Amino acid sequence: MCNSLAPAPYRASSDATPEPDSRREYPPAPEPLPVPVMDNHTHLDFRHGLIEVSVRDAMDAAQAVGVQGAVQVGCDLESSRFTVQAVDADPRLLGAVAIHPNDAPVYAGRGELDSALAEIEELASHPRIRAIGETGLDFFRTHGDGLTHQRYSFRRHIDIAKRLGLTLQIHDRDAHDDVVQVLHEEGAPERVVFHCFSGDEDLARICNENGWYMSFAGTMTFKNAGNLRAALAIAEPSRILVETDSPFLTPHPYRGRPNASYMVPYTVRSMADVTGNDLSELCSRLAENTLQAYGSWA
């Protein structure tokens, strides 16, 4: 049974917006999970709903439903700097820093890509930054010459992750074959996570073979996402993670509304349905996998 209201930090006051847009209202809180898990990809600095929520309040709301930690992810220099501040402010957070593939051509166009990558490496030296990401390839939003900068940036991020011994969080949109090719050419880091896994059974098999993690978001609950459910069904249990990518990709039945880490239980329950796992056992597996991917939150 869902609560009738979103957690307190996600409720707009009655006078906050005279005529609130329901598409920007946060969904109700789910029933808490029986065993705590972690949201392995969130953007706490991005605002999508009607109200702004602090890092502490966001994590309090998540913890109340069995989401005991999260990985805050940077996509450019500003959000990566925020990530370092956030992991210092709340021990329930670990961090990832990177230049997003769609931002790489922007930095390159200003002649600033190499200096931006140098700062990413400096930020990544913080002990609670455990991943380089999100980085990768995006053939949906970037085309032409911009892809050259994407590929260069992706290779540089792989190098940083390997030299610093950090996990690599991959953004892969319409670029599965090319992402895999670059990983093989460069030599993948020890731990690789396909953030918001968007492939099919073929990519899941490749991840299984290489020991790469597949992180499932609210997209796997969408009615048109049969490919994701098929991939999850054959994924090695030791290779699956869960995430929100909040404030985006809110799970069914709240697709289109703002997302947050407290929404993870909706996706986990759908994952249990697809895999046929007992919910408690799946939660324990997800928590163990997340610790293997990123290390301890303590």
Side-chain angles (χ1 to χ4, degrees), residues 131-186:
I132 297 298
E134 59 190 276
T135 181
L137 299 174
D138 188 317
F139 293 173
F140 180 77
R141 295 192 181 279
T142 299
H143 309 280
D145 293 341
L147 295 179
T148 300
H149 301 303
Q150 274 198 4
R151 292 178 186 277
Y152 171 78
S153 179
F154 186 24
R155 293 177 190 274
R156 287 286 307 276
H157 281 88
I158 292 172
D159 175 64
I160 294 170
K162 289 165 65 175
R163 285 190 290 102
L164 298 185
L166 298 177
T167 302
L168 185 73
Q169 269 207 11
I170 290 179
H171 172 101
D172 164 24
R173 188 165 189 187
D174 294 349
H176 308 321
D177 292 344
D178 292 76
V179 166
V180 171
Q181 179 181 347
V182 171
L183 286 171
H184 285 319
E185 289 176 353
E186 295 297 314

Side-chain angles (χ1 to χ4, degrees), residues 43-212:
H43 301 281
L44 292 169
D45 51 323
F46 291 1
R47 178 176 172 179
H48 183 49
L50 291 169
I51 54 178
E52 187 172 354
V53 180
S54 71
V55 168
R56 177 177 293 181
D57 285 347
M59 294 312 302
D60 285 349
Q63 192 168 15
V65 296
V67 183
Q68 65 181 354
V71 179
Q72 157 61 29
V73 180
C75 293
D76 55 19
L77 289 182
E78 183 178 4
S79 61
S80 293
R81 293 166 188 155
F82 170 90
T83 295
V84 172
Q85 295 172 352
V87 299
D88 276 337
D90 197 306
R92 293 168 292 188
L93 292 176
L94 296 180
V97 295
I99 303 300
H100 192 282
N102 290 325
D103 287 318
V106 177
Y107 281 95
R110 301 197 299 252
E112 298 173 356
L113 182 54
D114 283 325
S115 62
L117 290 167
E119 182 171 346
I120 289 298
E121 182 166 354
E122 182 179 351
L123 292 170
S125 66
H126 188 290
R128 295 190 69 78
I129 300 300
R130 303 291 178 77
I132 297 298
E134 59 190 276
T135 181
L137 299 174
D138 188 317
F139 293 173
F140 180 77
R141 295 192 181 279
T142 299
H143 309 280
D145 293 341
L147 295 179
T148 300
H149 301 303
Q150 274 198 4
R151 292 178 186 277
Y152 171 78
S153 179
F154 186 24
R155 293 177 190 274
R156 287 286 307 276
H157 281 88
I158 292 172
D159 175 64
I160 294 170
K162 289 165 65 175
R163 285 190 290 102
L164 298 185
L166 298 177
T167 302
L168 185 73
Q169 269 207 11
I170 290 179
H171 172 101
D172 164 24
R173 188 165 189 187
D174 294 349
H176 308 321
D177 292 344
D178 292 76
V179 166
V180 171
Q181 179 181 347
V182 171
L183 286 171
H184 285 319
E185 289 176 353
E186 295 297 314
E190 181 179 352
R191 297 172 304 279
V192 172
V193 176
F194 276 71
H195 136 68
C196 189
F197 184 86
S198 59
D200 54 14
E201 292 172 273
D202 289 340
L203 184 58
R205 290 189 183 96
I206 291 172
C207 290
N208 286 342
E209 293 168 1
N210 288 275
W212 297 337

